[in-house]
mmCIF file of all heavy atoms in Angstrom:
data_model
loop_
_atom_site.group_PDB
_atom_site.id
_atom_site.type_symbol
_atom_site.label_atom_id
_atom_site.label_comp_id
_atom_site.label_asym_id
_atom_site.label_seq_id
_atom_site.Cartn_x
_atom_site.Cartn_y
_atom_site.Cartn_z
ATOM 1 N N PHE A 19 -0.213 3.814 44.744
ATOM 2 C CA PHE A 19 0.495 4.994 44.306
ATOM 3 C C PHE A 19 1.041 4.927 42.888
ATOM 4 O O PHE A 19 0.914 5.852 42.051
ATOM 5 C CB PHE A 19 1.657 5.288 45.346
ATOM 6 C CG PHE A 19 2.422 6.455 44.944
ATOM 7 C CD1 PHE A 19 1.944 7.724 44.922
ATOM 8 C CD2 PHE A 19 3.779 6.299 44.679
ATOM 9 C CE1 PHE A 19 2.712 8.829 44.656
ATOM 10 C CE2 PHE A 19 4.565 7.510 44.334
ATOM 11 C CZ PHE A 19 3.935 8.696 44.261
ATOM 12 N N ASN A 34 0.465 17.174 26.571
ATOM 13 C CA ASN A 34 1.605 17.942 26.638
ATOM 14 C C ASN A 34 2.853 17.302 26.039
ATOM 15 O O ASN A 34 3.149 16.165 26.337
ATOM 16 C CB ASN A 34 1.876 18.172 28.242
ATOM 17 C CG ASN A 34 2.840 19.345 28.444
ATOM 18 O OD1 ASN A 34 3.886 19.511 27.731
ATOM 19 N ND2 ASN A 34 2.713 19.957 29.537
ATOM 20 N N ALA A 37 8.717 16.001 28.125
ATOM 21 C CA ALA A 37 9.100 14.625 28.592
ATOM 22 C C ALA A 37 8.357 14.240 29.763
ATOM 23 O O ALA A 37 8.021 15.017 30.627
ATOM 24 C CB ALA A 37 10.654 14.651 28.874
ATOM 25 N N LYS A 39 9.074 12.758 32.508
ATOM 26 C CA LYS A 39 9.606 13.020 33.908
ATOM 27 C C LYS A 39 9.321 14.426 34.352
ATOM 28 O O LYS A 39 9.288 14.653 35.610
ATOM 29 C CB LYS A 39 11.073 12.734 34.050
ATOM 30 C CG LYS A 39 11.960 13.708 33.203
ATOM 31 C CD LYS A 39 13.420 13.244 33.422
ATOM 32 C CE LYS A 39 14.401 14.091 32.663
ATOM 33 N NZ LYS A 39 15.789 13.602 32.789
ATOM 34 N N ALA A 47 12.933 10.083 49.456
ATOM 35 C CA ALA A 47 12.763 8.714 49.621
ATOM 36 C C ALA A 47 12.062 8.411 50.908
ATOM 37 O O ALA A 47 12.218 9.167 51.877
ATOM 38 C CB ALA A 47 14.081 7.906 49.503
ATOM 39 N N GLU A 56 13.170 -4.214 55.163
ATOM 40 C CA GLU A 56 13.045 -2.786 54.915
ATOM 41 C C GLU A 56 12.317 -2.500 53.549
ATOM 42 O O GLU A 56 12.644 -3.162 52.614
ATOM 43 C CB GLU A 56 14.460 -2.168 54.980
ATOM 44 C CG GLU A 56 14.498 -0.596 54.815
ATOM 45 C CD GLU A 56 15.801 -0.137 54.793
ATOM 46 O OE1 GLU A 56 16.709 -0.618 54.175
ATOM 47 O OE2 GLU A 56 16.094 0.858 55.606
ATOM 48 N N VAL A 79 8.584 4.860 17.582
ATOM 49 C CA VAL A 79 8.162 5.739 16.466
ATOM 50 C C VAL A 79 9.245 5.750 15.355
ATOM 51 O O VAL A 79 8.920 5.898 14.156
ATOM 52 C CB VAL A 79 7.764 7.185 17.004
ATOM 53 C CG1 VAL A 79 7.532 8.201 15.837
ATOM 54 C CG2 VAL A 79 6.675 7.106 17.858
ATOM 55 N N TYR A 88 4.634 6.785 9.253
ATOM 56 C CA TYR A 88 4.973 8.023 10.023
ATOM 57 C C TYR A 88 3.573 8.526 10.725
ATOM 58 O O TYR A 88 2.606 8.430 10.054
ATOM 59 C CB TYR A 88 5.551 9.051 9.162
ATOM 60 C CG TYR A 88 6.733 8.647 8.380
ATOM 61 C CD1 TYR A 88 6.541 7.997 7.127
ATOM 62 C CD2 TYR A 88 8.106 8.777 8.941
ATOM 63 C CE1 TYR A 88 7.754 7.590 6.403
ATOM 64 C CE2 TYR A 88 9.144 8.325 8.109
ATOM 65 C CZ TYR A 88 8.942 7.881 6.887
ATOM 66 O OH TYR A 88 10.087 7.307 6.151
ATOM 67 N N SER A 100 -7.328 6.584 18.459
ATOM 68 C CA SER A 100 -6.927 6.732 19.892
ATOM 69 C C SER A 100 -6.377 8.163 20.219
ATOM 70 O O SER A 100 -6.220 8.333 21.456
ATOM 71 C CB SER A 100 -5.891 5.677 20.243
ATOM 72 O OG SER A 100 -4.724 5.852 19.400
ATOM 73 N N LYS A 110 7.307 10.003 3.873
ATOM 74 C CA LYS A 110 7.890 10.818 4.907
ATOM 75 C C LYS A 110 7.242 12.304 4.915
ATOM 76 O O LYS A 110 7.136 12.925 3.851
ATOM 77 C CB LYS A 110 9.377 10.983 4.727
ATOM 78 C CG LYS A 110 10.036 11.668 5.866
ATOM 79 C CD LYS A 110 11.595 11.519 5.790
ATOM 80 C CE LYS A 110 12.208 12.297 6.964
ATOM 81 N NZ LYS A 110 11.881 11.800 8.289
ATOM 82 N N GLN A 135 1.335 -1.865 8.224
ATOM 83 C CA GLN A 135 1.367 -2.637 6.932
ATOM 84 C C GLN A 135 0.204 -2.571 6.114
ATOM 85 O O GLN A 135 -0.147 -3.415 5.170
ATOM 86 C CB GLN A 135 1.698 -4.154 7.328
ATOM 87 C CG GLN A 135 2.900 -4.311 8.198
ATOM 88 C CD GLN A 135 4.203 -4.116 7.422
ATOM 89 O OE1 GLN A 135 4.477 -5.104 6.510
ATOM 90 N NE2 GLN A 135 4.742 -3.088 7.418
ATOM 91 N N LEU A 146 3.860 9.540 -5.990
ATOM 92 C CA LEU A 146 3.227 10.142 -7.193
ATOM 93 C C LEU A 146 2.695 11.483 -6.804
ATOM 94 O O LEU A 146 2.203 11.686 -5.589
ATOM 95 C CB LEU A 146 2.214 9.151 -7.769
ATOM 96 C CG LEU A 146 2.678 7.862 -8.270
ATOM 97 C CD1 LEU A 146 1.460 6.992 -8.633
ATOM 98 C CD2 LEU A 146 3.565 8.183 -9.487
ATOM 99 N N GLU A 166 -5.043 5.168 -25.522
ATOM 100 C CA GLU A 166 -5.839 4.181 -26.195
ATOM 101 C C GLU A 166 -5.900 2.927 -25.477
ATOM 102 O O GLU A 166 -4.798 2.263 -25.392
ATOM 103 C CB GLU A 166 -5.447 4.166 -27.664
ATOM 104 C CG GLU A 166 -6.503 3.753 -28.509
ATOM 105 C CD GLU A 166 -6.045 3.925 -30.031
ATOM 106 O OE1 GLU A 166 -4.885 3.898 -30.326
ATOM 107 O OE2 GLU A 166 -6.908 3.993 -30.886
ATOM 108 N N GLY A 167 -7.074 2.427 -25.211
ATOM 109 C CA GLY A 167 -7.104 1.125 -24.602
ATOM 110 C C GLY A 167 -6.955 1.006 -23.171
ATOM 111 O O GLY A 167 -7.005 0.038 -22.514
ATOM 112 N N SER A 182 -0.475 -7.089 -10.008
ATOM 113 C CA SER A 182 -0.487 -6.529 -11.406
ATOM 114 C C SER A 182 -0.611 -4.956 -11.273
ATOM 115 O O SER A 182 -0.467 -4.472 -10.171
ATOM 116 C CB SER A 182 -1.599 -7.077 -12.164
ATOM 117 O OG SER A 182 -2.768 -6.893 -11.625
ATOM 118 N N GLY A 191 9.209 -5.255 4.076
ATOM 119 C CA GLY A 191 9.023 -4.033 4.792
ATOM 120 C C GLY A 191 8.877 -2.794 4.013
ATOM 121 O O GLY A 191 8.803 -1.634 4.558
ATOM 122 N N LYS A 194 5.300 -1.582 -2.173
ATOM 123 C CA LYS A 194 5.368 -1.714 -3.610
ATOM 124 C C LYS A 194 4.168 -1.423 -4.313
ATOM 125 O O LYS A 194 3.135 -2.010 -3.852
ATOM 126 C CB LYS A 194 6.097 -2.922 -3.924
ATOM 127 C CG LYS A 194 7.448 -3.264 -3.407
ATOM 128 C CD LYS A 194 8.569 -2.469 -4.138
ATOM 129 C CE LYS A 194 9.881 -2.958 -3.593
ATOM 130 N NZ LYS A 194 10.948 -2.045 -4.178
ATOM 131 N N SER A 230 3.772 -4.739 -42.577
ATOM 132 C CA SER A 230 4.737 -4.299 -43.608
ATOM 133 C C SER A 230 5.692 -5.424 -44.008
ATOM 134 O O SER A 230 6.457 -5.248 -44.922
ATOM 135 C CB SER A 230 5.503 -3.071 -43.182
ATOM 136 O OG SER A 230 6.314 -3.390 -41.976
ATOM 137 N N ASP A 232 6.089 -10.155 -43.812
ATOM 138 C CA ASP A 232 5.556 -11.391 -43.377
ATOM 139 C C ASP A 232 5.806 -11.673 -41.867
ATOM 140 O O ASP A 232 6.971 -11.348 -41.430
ATOM 141 C CB ASP A 232 6.178 -12.584 -44.232
ATOM 142 C CG ASP A 232 5.717 -12.476 -45.643
ATOM 143 O OD1 ASP A 232 4.794 -11.801 -45.983
ATOM 144 O OD2 ASP A 232 6.491 -13.146 -46.523
ATOM 145 N N ASN A 253 -21.475 -3.925 -14.241
ATOM 146 C CA ASN A 253 -20.944 -5.262 -14.314
ATOM 147 C C ASN A 253 -21.425 -6.066 -15.560
ATOM 148 O O ASN A 253 -20.892 -7.066 -15.889
ATOM 149 C CB ASN A 253 -21.269 -6.088 -13.033
ATOM 150 C CG ASN A 253 -20.592 -5.392 -11.865
ATOM 151 O OD1 ASN A 253 -19.644 -4.704 -11.946
ATOM 152 N ND2 ASN A 253 -21.218 -5.547 -10.659
ATOM 153 N N SER A 257 -19.709 -5.254 -24.474
ATOM 154 C CA SER A 257 -19.757 -6.500 -25.163
ATOM 155 C C SER A 257 -18.389 -7.049 -25.340
ATOM 156 O O SER A 257 -17.286 -6.446 -24.931
ATOM 157 C CB SER A 257 -20.170 -6.038 -26.729
ATOM 158 O OG SER A 257 -19.307 -5.121 -27.319
ATOM 159 N N PRO A 259 -14.718 -8.399 -26.714
ATOM 160 C CA PRO A 259 -13.803 -7.789 -27.588
ATOM 161 C C PRO A 259 -13.846 -8.652 -28.876
ATOM 162 O O PRO A 259 -14.072 -9.834 -28.952
ATOM 163 C CB PRO A 259 -12.455 -7.884 -26.955
ATOM 164 C CG PRO A 259 -12.660 -8.943 -25.953
ATOM 165 C CD PRO A 259 -14.042 -8.916 -25.476
ATOM 166 N N SER A 264 -7.301 -10.167 -41.716
ATOM 167 C CA SER A 264 -7.709 -10.296 -43.066
ATOM 168 C C SER A 264 -7.080 -11.690 -43.665
ATOM 169 O O SER A 264 -7.820 -12.368 -44.476
ATOM 170 C CB SER A 264 -7.303 -9.123 -43.978
ATOM 171 O OG SER A 264 -5.850 -8.942 -43.931
ATOM 172 N N ALA A 274 -10.086 -16.075 -22.693
ATOM 173 C CA ALA A 274 -10.977 -14.814 -22.493
ATOM 174 C C ALA A 274 -11.382 -14.692 -21.124
ATOM 175 O O ALA A 274 -11.503 -15.652 -20.319
ATOM 176 C CB ALA A 274 -12.239 -15.062 -23.308
ATOM 177 N N ARG A 279 -14.553 -3.836 -12.480
ATOM 178 C CA ARG A 279 -13.558 -3.038 -11.703
ATOM 179 C C ARG A 279 -14.102 -1.570 -11.642
ATOM 180 O O ARG A 279 -14.180 -1.032 -12.763
ATOM 181 C CB ARG A 279 -12.197 -3.212 -12.124
ATOM 182 C CG ARG A 279 -11.097 -2.394 -11.393
ATOM 183 C CD ARG A 279 -9.760 -2.570 -11.919
ATOM 184 N NE ARG A 279 -9.408 -3.995 -11.593
ATOM 185 C CZ ARG A 279 -8.250 -4.456 -11.982
ATOM 186 N NH1 ARG A 279 -7.336 -3.781 -12.846
ATOM 187 N NH2 ARG A 279 -7.798 -5.746 -11.619
ATOM 188 N N GLY A 281 -16.717 -0.060 -11.337
ATOM 189 C CA GLY A 281 -17.990 0.284 -12.037
ATOM 190 C C GLY A 281 -17.822 0.080 -13.493
ATOM 191 O O GLY A 281 -18.795 0.445 -14.279
ATOM 192 N N GLY A 302 -8.616 -4.755 -33.816
ATOM 193 C CA GLY A 302 -9.297 -5.267 -32.553
ATOM 194 C C GLY A 302 -10.222 -4.159 -32.095
ATOM 195 O O GLY A 302 -10.066 -2.901 -32.325
#
Side-chain angles (χ1 to χ4, degrees):
F19 177 66
N34 194 324
K39 69 180 180 183
E56 185 179 50
V79 172
Y88 306 86
S100 56
K110 189 170 179 59
Q135 302 289 281
L146 297 171
E166 204 169 20
S182 57
K194 298 286 188 181
S230 60
D232 292 342
N253 297 335
S257 57
S264 62
R279 178 176 291 172

